[in-house]
Amino acid sequence: AEQLTAGNLSARTGRPYGNDELDQLARRFDRMAATLQEREGTLRKWADIFQSTRIGLAMSSPDGESLLLMNPAFAAMHGYAVDELVGKPFRDLVPPEDRQKLPELFRAIRAERHQILELKGVRKDGTVFPSLIDATVVKDAKDEIEYLIASVQDIGELRRAETGEREQRALAEALHDTAAALNSTLNFDDVLDRILDSVWRVVPHDT
C-alpha cells in the first residue's frame, strides 16, 4: 500500500489468493492496482498524442477569456511558446478586425455544444493565417459548462494549393483557347485578341 501511495502502480501484495478475509482483501487490492496501472498507461498515451500531434489542441474557459491548456502545435502555430499562452485571452490570437465576432461565436458554441468554423488567426509577429476550428463544450457532473476544447488547423497551405489548382486549370483552358484560335483563323488581329483574352484570364491584374 505504501508503494502504491508513493506512485508505484506496479506494486502488488505478493500474497497467494486463498479464501480467508485477508486473501480476498489482497486480491481486491491487486486488482485495483492493476486497473490504476492500466489507466495510467492509457493516460500516458493520450499525453503523448497531445504533445506530439501536429494539430493544435487547446482548452479555454467557457467565455474564451482565458486559455487554460494547449499543446506545442497550437502554440507554435501562433508563434508562441506554451507558457506564453497560458492565461492569455483567445481574442489575442485573432486579428483586431475579427474580434467583434467572438462573443457571438462563443455563445453559439455554448448553445449548440459543438461548432466547426473557419476563423482567421494572428501570430505573435502579426502575420494572419486562415484556420479551421472544431470546438466542443465539456460539461461537469452538474451539467454545467466546465471548459471548451478545440482542435485548430492552419489551412493556409490548403488554401494556397486550391488557388494553385484554379490557376493551373485556368492556364490549361487559356492554352486550349489559344491553340483553337491559331487553328481557326489566319487573321492576325483576331488571333491576337483571343490570345490577349486568354492571358487576361490567367495573369493576376487589378480590376
mmCIF file of all heavy atoms in Angstrom, residues 110-141:
data_model
loop_
_atom_site.group_PDB
_atom_site.id
_atom_site.type_symbol
_atom_site.label_atom_id
_atom_site.label_comp_id
_atom_site.label_asym_id
_atom_site.label_seq_id
_atom_site.Cartn_x
_atom_site.Cartn_y
_atom_site.Cartn_z
ATOM 1 N N ARG A 110 -21.432 27.506 -27.001
ATOM 2 C CA ARG A 110 -22.036 27.069 -25.736
ATOM 3 C C ARG A 110 -23.460 26.576 -25.936
ATOM 4 O O ARG A 110 -23.895 25.613 -25.298
ATOM 5 C CB ARG A 110 -22.007 28.220 -24.727
ATOM 6 C CG ARG A 110 -20.607 28.588 -24.259
ATOM 7 C CD ARG A 110 -20.658 29.494 -23.043
ATOM 8 N NE ARG A 110 -21.315 30.762 -23.326
ATOM 9 C CZ ARG A 110 -20.701 31.859 -23.751
ATOM 10 N NH1 ARG A 110 -19.384 31.839 -23.955
ATOM 11 N NH2 ARG A 110 -21.360 32.969 -23.954
ATOM 12 N N ALA A 111 -24.202 27.212 -26.847
ATOM 13 C CA ALA A 111 -25.592 26.833 -27.072
ATOM 14 C C ALA A 111 -25.714 25.513 -27.831
ATOM 15 O O ALA A 111 -26.545 24.663 -27.495
ATOM 16 C CB ALA A 111 -26.316 27.945 -27.830
ATOM 17 N N GLU A 112 -24.891 25.334 -28.837
ATOM 18 C CA GLU A 112 -25.002 24.154 -29.692
ATOM 19 C C GLU A 112 -24.074 23.019 -29.272
ATOM 20 O O GLU A 112 -24.160 21.907 -29.796
ATOM 21 C CB GLU A 112 -24.738 24.548 -31.146
ATOM 22 C CG GLU A 112 -25.736 25.581 -31.666
ATOM 23 C CD GLU A 112 -25.507 25.920 -33.121
ATOM 24 O OE1 GLU A 112 -24.963 25.064 -33.850
ATOM 25 O OE2 GLU A 112 -25.865 27.028 -33.530
ATOM 26 N N ARG A 113 -23.133 23.339 -28.363
ATOM 27 C CA ARG A 113 -22.205 22.363 -27.785
ATOM 28 C C ARG A 113 -21.117 21.906 -28.742
ATOM 29 O O ARG A 113 -20.150 21.274 -28.324
ATOM 30 C CB ARG A 113 -22.956 21.150 -27.223
ATOM 31 C CG ARG A 113 -23.977 21.514 -26.147
ATOM 32 C CD ARG A 113 -24.556 20.309 -25.474
ATOM 33 N NE ARG A 113 -23.544 19.542 -24.741
ATOM 34 C CZ ARG A 113 -23.823 18.530 -23.922
ATOM 35 N NH1 ARG A 113 -25.077 18.169 -23.734
ATOM 36 N NH2 ARG A 113 -22.855 17.891 -23.311
ATOM 37 N N HIS A 114 -21.261 22.219 -30.016
ATOM 38 C CA HIS A 114 -20.224 21.834 -30.980
ATOM 39 C C HIS A 114 -20.325 22.735 -32.208
ATOM 40 O O HIS A 114 -21.417 23.001 -32.695
ATOM 41 C CB HIS A 114 -20.385 20.369 -31.396
ATOM 42 C CG HIS A 114 -19.371 19.922 -32.398
ATOM 43 N ND1 HIS A 114 -19.699 19.500 -33.657
ATOM 44 C CD2 HIS A 114 -18.013 19.855 -32.319
ATOM 45 C CE1 HIS A 114 -18.599 19.172 -34.313
ATOM 46 N NE2 HIS A 114 -17.565 19.385 -33.528
ATOM 47 N N GLN A 115 -19.170 23.199 -32.669
ATOM 48 C CA GLN A 115 -19.139 24.052 -33.846
ATOM 49 C C GLN A 115 -17.869 23.759 -34.641
ATOM 50 O O GLN A 115 -16.793 23.550 -34.074
ATOM 51 C CB GLN A 115 -19.118 25.535 -33.455
ATOM 52 C CG GLN A 115 -20.448 26.070 -32.939
ATOM 53 C CD GLN A 115 -21.308 26.588 -34.072
ATOM 54 O OE1 GLN A 115 -20.925 27.479 -34.819
ATOM 55 N NE2 GLN A 115 -22.496 26.033 -34.178
ATOM 56 N N ILE A 116 -18.013 23.743 -35.974
ATOM 57 C CA ILE A 116 -16.858 23.702 -36.865
ATOM 58 C C ILE A 116 -16.895 24.980 -37.689
ATOM 59 O O ILE A 116 -17.925 25.271 -38.313
ATOM 60 C CB ILE A 116 -16.885 22.465 -37.776
ATOM 61 C CG1 ILE A 116 -16.834 21.180 -36.939
ATOM 62 C CG2 ILE A 116 -15.714 22.496 -38.760
ATOM 63 C CD1 ILE A 116 -16.952 19.909 -37.769
ATOM 64 N N LEU A 117 -15.835 25.739 -37.658
ATOM 65 C CA LEU A 117 -15.843 27.036 -38.321
ATOM 66 C C LEU A 117 -14.458 27.429 -38.794
ATOM 67 O O LEU A 117 -13.458 26.896 -38.329
ATOM 68 C CB LEU A 117 -16.365 28.108 -37.364
ATOM 69 C CG LEU A 117 -15.540 28.288 -36.082
ATOM 70 C CD1 LEU A 117 -15.323 29.759 -35.793
ATOM 71 C CD2 LEU A 117 -16.229 27.619 -34.904
ATOM 72 N N GLU A 118 -14.438 28.354 -39.744
ATOM 73 C CA GLU A 118 -13.182 28.944 -40.187
ATOM 74 C C GLU A 118 -13.036 30.319 -39.536
ATOM 75 O O GLU A 118 -13.998 31.080 -39.452
ATOM 76 C CB GLU A 118 -13.139 29.070 -41.708
ATOM 77 C CG GLU A 118 -13.010 27.741 -42.417
ATOM 78 C CD GLU A 118 -12.751 27.881 -43.906
ATOM 79 O OE1 GLU A 118 -12.253 28.965 -44.320
ATOM 80 O OE2 GLU A 118 -13.049 26.932 -44.648
ATOM 81 N N LEU A 119 -11.839 30.601 -39.077
ATOM 82 C CA LEU A 119 -11.568 31.868 -38.403
ATOM 83 C C LEU A 119 -10.122 32.254 -38.663
ATOM 84 O O LEU A 119 -9.239 31.390 -38.664
ATOM 85 C CB LEU A 119 -11.803 31.724 -36.896
ATOM 86 C CG LEU A 119 -11.707 33.003 -36.049
ATOM 87 C CD1 LEU A 119 -12.879 33.934 -36.351
ATOM 88 C CD2 LEU A 119 -11.688 32.651 -34.564
ATOM 89 N N LYS A 120 -9.883 33.523 -38.882
ATOM 90 C CA LYS A 120 -8.508 33.979 -39.073
ATOM 91 C C LYS A 120 -7.768 33.974 -37.739
ATOM 92 O O LYS A 120 -8.319 34.363 -36.711
ATOM 93 C CB LYS A 120 -8.491 35.396 -39.655
ATOM 94 C CG LYS A 120 -8.990 35.486 -41.093
ATOM 95 C CD LYS A 120 -8.970 36.932 -41.565
ATOM 96 C CE LYS A 120 -9.521 37.061 -42.977
ATOM 97 N NZ LYS A 120 -9.570 38.481 -43.400
ATOM 98 N N GLY A 121 -6.524 33.512 -37.775
ATOM 99 C CA GLY A 121 -5.664 33.577 -36.607
ATOM 100 C C GLY A 121 -4.563 34.604 -36.848
ATOM 101 O O GLY A 121 -4.269 34.958 -37.991
ATOM 102 N N VAL A 122 -3.965 35.069 -35.770
ATOM 103 C CA VAL A 122 -2.848 36.006 -35.906
ATOM 104 C C VAL A 122 -1.680 35.503 -35.062
ATOM 105 O O VAL A 122 -1.847 35.070 -33.923
ATOM 106 C CB VAL A 122 -3.258 37.440 -35.508
ATOM 107 C CG1 VAL A 122 -3.673 37.524 -34.045
ATOM 108 C CG2 VAL A 122 -2.140 38.425 -35.792
ATOM 109 N N ARG A 123 -0.503 35.531 -35.669
ATOM 110 C CA ARG A 123 0.694 35.073 -34.966
ATOM 111 C C ARG A 123 1.293 36.205 -34.133
ATOM 112 O O ARG A 123 0.923 37.370 -34.261
ATOM 113 C CB ARG A 123 1.720 34.543 -35.968
ATOM 114 C CG ARG A 123 1.219 33.349 -36.777
ATOM 115 C CD ARG A 123 2.308 32.768 -37.648
ATOM 116 N NE ARG A 123 1.822 31.604 -38.392
ATOM 117 C CZ ARG A 123 1.299 31.673 -39.611
ATOM 118 N NH1 ARG A 123 1.204 32.842 -40.237
ATOM 119 N NH2 ARG A 123 0.859 30.584 -40.204
ATOM 120 N N LYS A 124 2.258 35.836 -33.320
ATOM 121 C CA LYS A 124 2.931 36.797 -32.448
ATOM 122 C C LYS A 124 3.574 37.919 -33.259
ATOM 123 O O LYS A 124 3.625 39.069 -32.815
ATOM 124 C CB LYS A 124 3.982 36.066 -31.607
ATOM 125 C CG LYS A 124 4.627 36.903 -30.516
ATOM 126 C CD LYS A 124 5.583 36.057 -29.702
ATOM 127 C CE LYS A 124 6.221 36.849 -28.574
ATOM 128 N NZ LYS A 124 7.144 35.986 -27.766
ATOM 129 N N ASP A 125 4.043 37.590 -34.470
ATOM 130 C CA ASP A 125 4.692 38.598 -35.311
ATOM 131 C C ASP A 125 3.703 39.419 -36.138
ATOM 132 O O ASP A 125 4.102 40.268 -36.932
ATOM 133 C CB ASP A 125 5.726 37.951 -36.235
ATOM 134 C CG ASP A 125 5.102 36.976 -37.241
ATOM 135 O OD1 ASP A 125 3.854 36.872 -37.304
ATOM 136 O OD2 ASP A 125 5.868 36.296 -37.966
ATOM 137 N N GLY A 126 2.390 39.147 -35.948
ATOM 138 C CA GLY A 126 1.368 39.935 -36.625
ATOM 139 C C GLY A 126 0.872 39.352 -37.927
ATOM 140 O O GLY A 126 -0.095 39.868 -38.504
ATOM 141 N N THR A 127 1.488 38.280 -38.423
ATOM 142 C CA THR A 127 1.004 37.677 -39.659
ATOM 143 C C THR A 127 -0.317 36.956 -39.410
ATOM 144 O O THR A 127 -0.548 36.385 -38.348
ATOM 145 C CB THR A 127 2.030 36.691 -40.247
ATOM 146 O OG1 THR A 127 2.350 35.696 -39.274
ATOM 147 C CG2 THR A 127 3.303 37.416 -40.655
ATOM 148 N N VAL A 128 -1.179 37.006 -40.413
ATOM 149 C CA VAL A 128 -2.533 36.439 -40.309
ATOM 150 C C VAL A 128 -2.605 35.165 -41.149
ATOM 151 O O VAL A 128 -2.005 35.089 -42.231
ATOM 152 C CB VAL A 128 -3.577 37.460 -40.774
ATOM 153 C CG1 VAL A 128 -4.982 36.862 -40.773
ATOM 154 C CG2 VAL A 128 -3.535 38.704 -39.879
ATOM 155 N N PHE A 129 -3.328 34.175 -40.677
ATOM 156 C CA PHE A 129 -3.478 32.915 -41.408
ATOM 157 C C PHE A 129 -4.894 32.384 -41.223
ATOM 158 O O PHE A 129 -5.536 32.632 -40.200
ATOM 159 C CB PHE A 129 -2.451 31.878 -40.929
ATOM 160 C CG PHE A 129 -2.629 31.455 -39.503
ATOM 161 C CD1 PHE A 129 -3.350 30.310 -39.176
ATOM 162 C CD2 PHE A 129 -2.083 32.199 -38.466
ATOM 163 C CE1 PHE A 129 -3.514 29.920 -37.858
ATOM 164 C CE2 PHE A 129 -2.237 31.813 -37.135
ATOM 165 C CZ PHE A 129 -2.960 30.671 -36.838
ATOM 166 N N PRO A 130 -5.420 31.648 -42.216
ATOM 167 C CA PRO A 130 -6.745 31.050 -42.078
ATOM 168 C C PRO A 130 -6.661 29.774 -41.257
ATOM 169 O O PRO A 130 -5.714 28.989 -41.391
ATOM 170 C CB PRO A 130 -7.141 30.738 -43.525
ATOM 171 C CG PRO A 130 -5.834 30.495 -44.215
ATOM 172 C CD PRO A 130 -4.833 31.407 -43.553
ATOM 173 N N SER A 131 -7.633 29.554 -40.390
ATOM 174 C CA SER A 131 -7.624 28.345 -39.567
ATOM 175 C C SER A 131 -8.999 27.689 -39.574
ATOM 176 O O SER A 131 -10.023 28.351 -39.741
ATOM 177 C CB SER A 131 -7.206 28.661 -38.127
ATOM 178 O OG SER A 131 -8.191 29.448 -37.472
ATOM 179 N N LEU A 132 -8.982 26.376 -39.399
ATOM 180 C CA LEU A 132 -10.209 25.586 -39.254
ATOM 181 C C LEU A 132 -10.287 25.132 -37.807
ATOM 182 O O LEU A 132 -9.362 24.489 -37.306
ATOM 183 C CB LEU A 132 -10.196 24.386 -40.198
ATOM 184 C CG LEU A 132 -11.442 23.495 -40.160
ATOM 185 C CD1 LEU A 132 -12.655 24.245 -40.686
ATOM 186 C CD2 LEU A 132 -11.210 22.229 -40.971
ATOM 187 N N ILE A 133 -11.390 25.481 -37.139
ATOM 188 C CA ILE A 133 -11.537 25.195 -35.710
ATOM 189 C C ILE A 133 -12.712 24.244 -35.486
ATOM 190 O O ILE A 133 -13.803 24.441 -36.023
ATOM 191 C CB ILE A 133 -11.770 26.494 -34.911
ATOM 192 C CG1 ILE A 133 -10.575 27.435 -35.080
ATOM 193 C CG2 ILE A 133 -12.020 26.198 -33.433
ATOM 194 C CD1 ILE A 133 -10.756 28.775 -34.408
ATOM 195 N N ASP A 134 -12.465 23.209 -34.704
ATOM 196 C CA ASP A 134 -13.512 22.272 -34.281
ATOM 197 C C ASP A 134 -13.608 22.392 -32.758
ATOM 198 O O ASP A 134 -12.743 21.912 -32.027
ATOM 199 C CB ASP A 134 -13.120 20.852 -34.696
ATOM 200 C CG ASP A 134 -14.244 19.839 -34.460
ATOM 201 O OD1 ASP A 134 -14.994 20.006 -33.484
ATOM 202 O OD2 ASP A 134 -14.358 18.885 -35.239
ATOM 203 N N ALA A 135 -14.657 23.066 -32.284
ATOM 204 C CA ALA A 135 -14.794 23.387 -30.854
ATOM 205 C C ALA A 135 -15.938 22.595 -30.228
ATOM 206 O O ALA A 135 -16.999 22.425 -30.829
ATOM 207 C CB ALA A 135 -15.038 24.878 -30.671
ATOM 208 N N THR A 136 -15.705 22.135 -29.006
ATOM 209 C CA THR A 136 -16.679 21.310 -28.294
ATOM 210 C C THR A 136 -16.785 21.759 -26.840
ATOM 211 O O THR A 136 -15.784 22.115 -26.213
ATOM 212 C CB THR A 136 -16.266 19.826 -28.325
ATOM 213 O OG1 THR A 136 -16.164 19.402 -29.686
ATOM 214 C CG2 THR A 136 -17.289 18.949 -27.609
ATOM 215 N N VAL A 137 -18.000 21.726 -26.314
ATOM 216 C CA VAL A 137 -18.271 22.051 -24.913
ATOM 217 C C VAL A 137 -18.064 20.811 -24.046
ATOM 218 O O VAL A 137 -18.476 19.707 -24.423
ATOM 219 C CB VAL A 137 -19.719 22.559 -24.757
ATOM 220 C CG1 VAL A 137 -20.150 22.558 -23.300
ATOM 221 C CG2 VAL A 137 -19.860 23.956 -25.348
ATOM 222 N N VAL A 138 -17.422 20.982 -22.898
ATOM 223 C CA VAL A 138 -17.283 19.896 -21.916
ATOM 224 C C VAL A 138 -18.019 20.314 -20.646
ATOM 225 O O VAL A 138 -17.767 21.396 -20.100
ATOM 226 C CB VAL A 138 -15.806 19.606 -21.597
ATOM 227 C CG1 VAL A 138 -15.708 18.539 -20.508
ATOM 228 C CG2 VAL A 138 -15.062 19.158 -22.849
ATOM 229 N N LYS A 139 -18.954 19.456 -20.197
ATOM 230 C CA LYS A 139 -19.754 19.773 -19.018
ATOM 231 C C LYS A 139 -19.353 18.908 -17.834
ATOM 232 O O LYS A 139 -18.813 17.805 -18.003
ATOM 233 C CB LYS A 139 -21.240 19.596 -19.319
ATOM 234 C CG LYS A 139 -21.776 20.600 -20.338
ATOM 235 C CD LYS A 139 -23.291 20.536 -20.440
ATOM 236 C CE LYS A 139 -23.831 21.629 -21.344
ATOM 237 N NZ LYS A 139 -25.309 21.644 -21.372
ATOM 238 N N ASP A 140 -19.640 19.409 -16.637
ATOM 239 C CA ASP A 140 -19.325 18.658 -15.425
ATOM 240 C C ASP A 140 -20.510 17.786 -15.014
ATOM 241 O O ASP A 140 -21.514 17.684 -15.745
ATOM 242 C CB ASP A 140 -18.909 19.605 -14.287
ATOM 243 C CG ASP A 140 -20.007 20.601 -13.928
ATOM 244 O OD1 ASP A 140 -21.196 20.358 -14.267
ATOM 245 O OD2 ASP A 140 -19.690 21.626 -13.295
ATOM 246 N N ALA A 141 -20.408 17.170 -13.850
ATOM 247 C CA ALA A 141 -21.457 16.255 -13.384
ATOM 248 C C ALA A 141 -22.788 16.962 -13.150
ATOM 249 O O ALA A 141 -23.851 16.321 -13.157
ATOM 250 C CB ALA A 141 -20.998 15.563 -12.104
#
